[in-house]
Amino acid sequence: MINDIDVARVTPAQLNQLVHISRKTFTDAFAHLNNPDDMQAFLTDHLTAESLGTEMSNPESEFYFVVEDNQPIAFFKINTGKAQTELKADDGFEIERIYVLKEHQGKKLGHRIMNHCLDMALQRNKAYVWLGVWEHNANAIRFYENNGFVVFDKHTFLLGNDLQTDLMLKLELTKY
């Protein structure tokens, strides 16, 4: 539970809900900033029942819903071990996704989800938490920096045919 909001691991039976919220939140966040063809290609290639089902089947990846009134209003994905998209160190903990439905933004859910993830990492004895964020997502970068994360590298992210740059940010858990 995150401050009266339930957090529950996404089950295979909830795959269609995960696809729906993934596509909606990603589109709401980035469609206005990207070429429609690139967005559609990404949705078709990466945010499908098949692709998300494959991600869910990895034992080192976990999806969670934040639920209010029995409905998912946000979700997040964490990776450990070899499931991490970069680094892949045993003492690392990746937050690959945090997305909140537009109508539930402004309720400090991102902050509460972040604290929940940091607690999960500490409980698993991880040394640091890291994530990638699009270099043009100024609000997210500011949010992560305000939570103690620092930029340590960059990597590329392919959105359709558009090769984009993600900043990689890290928080040493000894500082949390």
mmCIF file of all heavy atoms in Angstrom, residues 116-141:
data_model
loop_
_atom_site.group_PDB
_atom_site.id
_atom_site.type_symbol
_atom_site.label_atom_id
_atom_site.label_comp_id
_atom_site.label_asym_id
_atom_site.label_seq_id
_atom_site.Cartn_x
_atom_site.Cartn_y
_atom_site.Cartn_z
ATOM 1 N N HIS A 116 8.245 3.870 -2.885
ATOM 2 C CA HIS A 116 7.950 2.433 -2.820
ATOM 3 C C HIS A 116 9.062 1.633 -3.512
ATOM 4 O O HIS A 116 9.527 0.623 -2.982
ATOM 5 C CB HIS A 116 6.588 2.164 -3.462
ATOM 6 C CG HIS A 116 6.122 0.758 -3.326
ATOM 7 N ND1 HIS A 116 5.574 0.272 -2.159
ATOM 8 C CD2 HIS A 116 6.129 -0.271 -4.206
ATOM 9 C CE1 HIS A 116 5.262 -1.002 -2.333
ATOM 10 N NE2 HIS A 116 5.584 -1.357 -3.560
ATOM 11 N N CYS A 117 9.484 2.088 -4.683
ATOM 12 C CA CYS A 117 10.556 1.399 -5.416
ATOM 13 C C CYS A 117 11.868 1.429 -4.630
ATOM 14 O O CYS A 117 12.587 0.418 -4.577
ATOM 15 C CB CYS A 117 10.753 2.027 -6.794
ATOM 16 S SG CYS A 117 9.408 1.711 -7.951
ATOM 17 N N LEU A 118 12.185 2.564 -4.042
ATOM 18 C CA LEU A 118 13.412 2.668 -3.256
ATOM 19 C C LEU A 118 13.358 1.717 -2.054
ATOM 20 O O LEU A 118 14.353 1.053 -1.743
ATOM 21 C CB LEU A 118 13.651 4.112 -2.814
ATOM 22 C CG LEU A 118 13.904 5.112 -3.938
ATOM 23 C CD1 LEU A 118 14.031 6.525 -3.376
ATOM 24 C CD2 LEU A 118 15.099 4.743 -4.789
ATOM 25 N N ASP A 119 12.203 1.630 -1.414
ATOM 26 C CA ASP A 119 12.056 0.683 -0.312
ATOM 27 C C ASP A 119 12.227 -0.755 -0.792
ATOM 28 O O ASP A 119 12.854 -1.574 -0.108
ATOM 29 C CB ASP A 119 10.691 0.843 0.360
ATOM 30 C CG ASP A 119 10.575 2.126 1.185
ATOM 31 O OD1 ASP A 119 11.619 2.740 1.517
ATOM 32 O OD2 ASP A 119 9.427 2.518 1.486
ATOM 33 N N MET A 120 11.669 -1.071 -1.966
ATOM 34 C CA MET A 120 11.834 -2.422 -2.532
ATOM 35 C C MET A 120 13.318 -2.730 -2.762
ATOM 36 O O MET A 120 13.787 -3.830 -2.459
ATOM 37 C CB MET A 120 11.064 -2.542 -3.855
ATOM 38 C CG MET A 120 9.567 -2.520 -3.724
ATOM 39 S SD MET A 120 8.743 -2.472 -5.352
ATOM 40 C CE MET A 120 8.942 -4.169 -5.867
ATOM 41 N N ALA A 121 14.047 -1.756 -3.304
ATOM 42 C CA ALA A 121 15.469 -1.957 -3.574
ATOM 43 C C ALA A 121 16.242 -2.177 -2.273
ATOM 44 O O ALA A 121 17.119 -3.054 -2.201
ATOM 45 C CB ALA A 121 16.035 -0.772 -4.349
ATOM 46 N N LEU A 122 15.923 -1.399 -1.261
ATOM 47 C CA LEU A 122 16.588 -1.567 0.032
ATOM 48 C C LEU A 122 16.284 -2.938 0.631
ATOM 49 O O LEU A 122 17.186 -3.604 1.161
ATOM 50 C CB LEU A 122 16.156 -0.459 1.000
ATOM 51 C CG LEU A 122 16.748 0.915 0.744
ATOM 52 C CD1 LEU A 122 16.039 1.982 1.575
ATOM 53 C CD2 LEU A 122 18.247 0.913 1.044
ATOM 54 N N GLN A 123 15.031 -3.364 0.548
ATOM 55 C CA GLN A 123 14.646 -4.675 1.077
ATOM 56 C C GLN A 123 15.386 -5.807 0.367
ATOM 57 O O GLN A 123 15.614 -6.862 0.938
ATOM 58 C CB GLN A 123 13.136 -4.890 0.951
ATOM 59 C CG GLN A 123 12.325 -4.020 1.881
ATOM 60 C CD GLN A 123 10.841 -4.049 1.549
ATOM 61 O OE1 GLN A 123 10.383 -4.753 0.663
ATOM 62 N NE2 GLN A 123 10.069 -3.253 2.276
ATOM 63 N N ARG A 124 15.772 -5.570 -0.882
ATOM 64 C CA ARG A 124 16.485 -6.585 -1.667
ATOM 65 C C ARG A 124 18.003 -6.396 -1.591
ATOM 66 O O ARG A 124 18.746 -7.009 -2.337
ATOM 67 C CB ARG A 124 16.010 -6.526 -3.114
ATOM 68 C CG ARG A 124 14.540 -6.897 -3.229
ATOM 69 C CD ARG A 124 13.993 -6.630 -4.606
ATOM 70 N NE ARG A 124 12.552 -6.758 -4.600
ATOM 71 C CZ ARG A 124 11.830 -7.121 -5.643
ATOM 72 N NH1 ARG A 124 12.418 -7.389 -6.799
ATOM 73 N NH2 ARG A 124 10.539 -7.226 -5.554
ATOM 74 N N ASN A 125 18.433 -5.517 -0.695
ATOM 75 C CA ASN A 125 19.860 -5.262 -0.465
ATOM 76 C C ASN A 125 20.604 -4.784 -1.707
ATOM 77 O O ASN A 125 21.758 -5.157 -1.938
ATOM 78 C CB ASN A 125 20.548 -6.503 0.119
ATOM 79 C CG ASN A 125 19.964 -6.872 1.469
ATOM 80 O OD1 ASN A 125 19.796 -6.009 2.321
ATOM 81 N ND2 ASN A 125 19.637 -8.137 1.647
ATOM 82 N N LYS A 126 19.969 -3.930 -2.499
ATOM 83 C CA LYS A 126 20.608 -3.367 -3.679
ATOM 84 C C LYS A 126 21.431 -2.149 -3.275
ATOM 85 O O LYS A 126 21.092 -1.433 -2.328
ATOM 86 C CB LYS A 126 19.580 -2.993 -4.743
ATOM 87 C CG LYS A 126 18.729 -4.171 -5.210
ATOM 88 C CD LYS A 126 19.571 -5.296 -5.765
ATOM 89 C CE LYS A 126 18.724 -6.459 -6.244
ATOM 90 N NZ LYS A 126 19.529 -7.584 -6.684
ATOM 91 N N ALA A 127 22.517 -1.902 -3.982
ATOM 92 C CA ALA A 127 23.407 -0.790 -3.665
ATOM 93 C C ALA A 127 22.944 0.514 -4.305
ATOM 94 O O ALA A 127 23.221 1.596 -3.792
ATOM 95 C CB ALA A 127 24.830 -1.107 -4.118
ATOM 96 N N TYR A 128 22.256 0.408 -5.441
ATOM 97 C CA TYR A 128 21.826 1.612 -6.141
ATOM 98 C C TYR A 128 20.593 1.321 -6.981
ATOM 99 O O TYR A 128 20.289 0.170 -7.307
ATOM 100 C CB TYR A 128 22.943 2.175 -7.030
ATOM 101 C CG TYR A 128 23.398 1.218 -8.113
ATOM 102 C CD1 TYR A 128 22.802 1.220 -9.377
ATOM 103 C CD2 TYR A 128 24.429 0.303 -7.873
ATOM 104 C CE1 TYR A 128 23.210 0.338 -10.362
ATOM 105 C CE2 TYR A 128 24.843 -0.578 -8.856
ATOM 106 C CZ TYR A 128 24.231 -0.559 -10.094
ATOM 107 O OH TYR A 128 24.629 -1.445 -11.074
ATOM 108 N N VAL A 129 19.892 2.399 -7.302
ATOM 109 C CA VAL A 129 18.729 2.363 -8.198
ATOM 110 C C VAL A 129 19.085 3.245 -9.381
ATOM 111 O O VAL A 129 19.693 4.301 -9.229
ATOM 112 C CB VAL A 129 17.464 2.896 -7.494
ATOM 113 C CG1 VAL A 129 16.290 2.965 -8.460
ATOM 114 C CG2 VAL A 129 17.117 2.034 -6.293
ATOM 115 N N TRP A 130 18.714 2.802 -10.566
ATOM 116 C CA TRP A 130 19.009 3.605 -11.753
ATOM 117 C C TRP A 130 17.829 3.537 -12.703
ATOM 118 O O TRP A 130 16.935 2.687 -12.578
ATOM 119 C CB TRP A 130 20.302 3.139 -12.426
ATOM 120 C CG TRP A 130 20.186 1.839 -13.156
ATOM 121 C CD1 TRP A 130 20.285 0.579 -12.633
ATOM 122 C CD2 TRP A 130 19.920 1.675 -14.545
ATOM 123 N NE1 TRP A 130 20.107 -0.348 -13.608
ATOM 124 C CE2 TRP A 130 19.882 0.301 -14.791
ATOM 125 C CE3 TRP A 130 19.719 2.562 -15.597
ATOM 126 C CZ2 TRP A 130 19.636 -0.223 -16.070
ATOM 127 C CZ3 TRP A 130 19.471 2.053 -16.857
ATOM 128 C CH2 TRP A 130 19.438 0.672 -17.083
ATOM 129 N N LEU A 131 17.820 4.453 -13.666
ATOM 130 C CA LEU A 131 16.747 4.517 -14.661
ATOM 131 C C LEU A 131 17.211 5.327 -15.853
ATOM 132 O O LEU A 131 18.223 6.025 -15.790
ATOM 133 C CB LEU A 131 15.484 5.132 -14.047
ATOM 134 C CG LEU A 131 15.649 6.454 -13.305
ATOM 135 C CD1 LEU A 131 15.564 7.629 -14.247
ATOM 136 C CD2 LEU A 131 14.638 6.576 -12.203
ATOM 137 N N GLY A 132 16.477 5.226 -16.935
ATOM 138 C CA GLY A 132 16.713 6.031 -18.122
ATOM 139 C C GLY A 132 15.522 6.937 -18.350
ATOM 140 O O GLY A 132 14.388 6.555 -18.094
ATOM 141 N N VAL A 133 15.789 8.151 -18.824
ATOM 142 C CA VAL A 133 14.716 9.101 -19.105
ATOM 143 C C VAL A 133 15.095 9.903 -20.344
ATOM 144 O O VAL A 133 16.240 10.302 -20.521
ATOM 145 C CB VAL A 133 14.436 10.020 -17.885
ATOM 146 C CG1 VAL A 133 15.652 10.837 -17.513
ATOM 147 C CG2 VAL A 133 13.236 10.915 -18.131
ATOM 148 N N TRP A 134 14.123 10.105 -21.218
ATOM 149 C CA TRP A 134 14.352 10.827 -22.467
ATOM 150 C C TRP A 134 14.918 12.214 -22.158
ATOM 151 O O TRP A 134 14.400 12.942 -21.295
ATOM 152 C CB TRP A 134 13.042 10.930 -23.229
ATOM 153 C CG TRP A 134 13.139 11.486 -24.611
ATOM 154 C CD1 TRP A 134 14.200 11.412 -25.472
ATOM 155 C CD2 TRP A 134 12.119 12.207 -25.312
ATOM 156 N NE1 TRP A 134 13.889 12.031 -26.665
ATOM 157 C CE2 TRP A 134 12.629 12.528 -26.594
ATOM 158 C CE3 TRP A 134 10.831 12.596 -24.980
ATOM 159 C CZ2 TRP A 134 11.880 13.229 -27.529
ATOM 160 C CZ3 TRP A 134 10.087 13.290 -25.914
ATOM 161 C CH2 TRP A 134 10.614 13.597 -27.183
ATOM 162 N N GLU A 135 15.956 12.591 -22.877
ATOM 163 C CA GLU A 135 16.644 13.865 -22.629
ATOM 164 C C GLU A 135 15.737 15.079 -22.783
ATOM 165 O O GLU A 135 16.036 16.148 -22.250
ATOM 166 C CB GLU A 135 17.864 13.999 -23.543
ATOM 167 C CG GLU A 135 17.506 14.127 -25.009
ATOM 168 C CD GLU A 135 18.732 14.220 -25.914
ATOM 169 O OE1 GLU A 135 19.837 14.487 -25.415
ATOM 170 O OE2 GLU A 135 18.574 14.023 -27.133
ATOM 171 N N HIS A 136 14.615 14.952 -23.484
ATOM 172 C CA HIS A 136 13.683 16.068 -23.682
ATOM 173 C C HIS A 136 12.521 16.059 -22.685
ATOM 174 O O HIS A 136 11.623 16.895 -22.786
ATOM 175 C CB HIS A 136 13.138 16.070 -25.107
ATOM 176 C CG HIS A 136 14.208 16.271 -26.142
ATOM 177 N ND1 HIS A 136 14.939 17.441 -26.238
ATOM 178 C CD2 HIS A 136 14.692 15.438 -27.085
ATOM 179 C CE1 HIS A 136 15.820 17.319 -27.218
ATOM 180 N NE2 HIS A 136 15.690 16.112 -27.740
ATOM 181 N N ASN A 137 12.548 15.123 -21.742
ATOM 182 C CA ASN A 137 11.486 15.038 -20.741
ATOM 183 C C ASN A 137 11.938 15.797 -19.489
ATOM 184 O O ASN A 137 12.290 15.217 -18.464
ATOM 185 C CB ASN A 137 11.172 13.570 -20.424
ATOM 186 C CG ASN A 137 9.906 13.404 -19.623
ATOM 187 O OD1 ASN A 137 9.410 14.354 -19.029
ATOM 188 N ND2 ASN A 137 9.398 12.190 -19.591
ATOM 189 N N ALA A 138 11.926 17.119 -19.593
ATOM 190 C CA ALA A 138 12.465 17.986 -18.539
ATOM 191 C C ALA A 138 11.767 17.781 -17.197
ATOM 192 O O ALA A 138 12.423 17.797 -16.148
ATOM 193 C CB ALA A 138 12.373 19.454 -18.967
ATOM 194 N N ASN A 139 10.453 17.595 -17.206
ATOM 195 C CA ASN A 139 9.732 17.409 -15.938
ATOM 196 C C ASN A 139 10.194 16.145 -15.229
ATOM 197 O O ASN A 139 10.392 16.139 -14.011
ATOM 198 C CB ASN A 139 8.221 17.364 -16.164
ATOM 199 C CG ASN A 139 7.656 18.717 -16.527
ATOM 200 O OD1 ASN A 139 8.250 19.755 -16.251
ATOM 201 N ND2 ASN A 139 6.501 18.709 -17.165
ATOM 202 N N ALA A 140 10.354 15.063 -15.973
ATOM 203 C CA ALA A 140 10.796 13.801 -15.363
ATOM 204 C C ALA A 140 12.231 13.925 -14.859
ATOM 205 O O ALA A 140 12.546 13.460 -13.760
ATOM 206 C CB ALA A 140 10.665 12.657 -16.359
ATOM 207 N N ILE A 141 13.087 14.551 -15.636
ATOM 208 C CA ILE A 141 14.483 14.723 -15.210
ATOM 209 C C ILE A 141 14.525 15.509 -13.905
ATOM 210 O O ILE A 141 15.212 15.130 -12.948
ATOM 211 C CB ILE A 141 15.318 15.409 -16.314
ATOM 212 C CG1 ILE A 141 15.435 14.484 -17.530
ATOM 213 C CG2 ILE A 141 16.692 15.797 -15.783
ATOM 214 C CD1 ILE A 141 15.948 15.168 -18.786
#
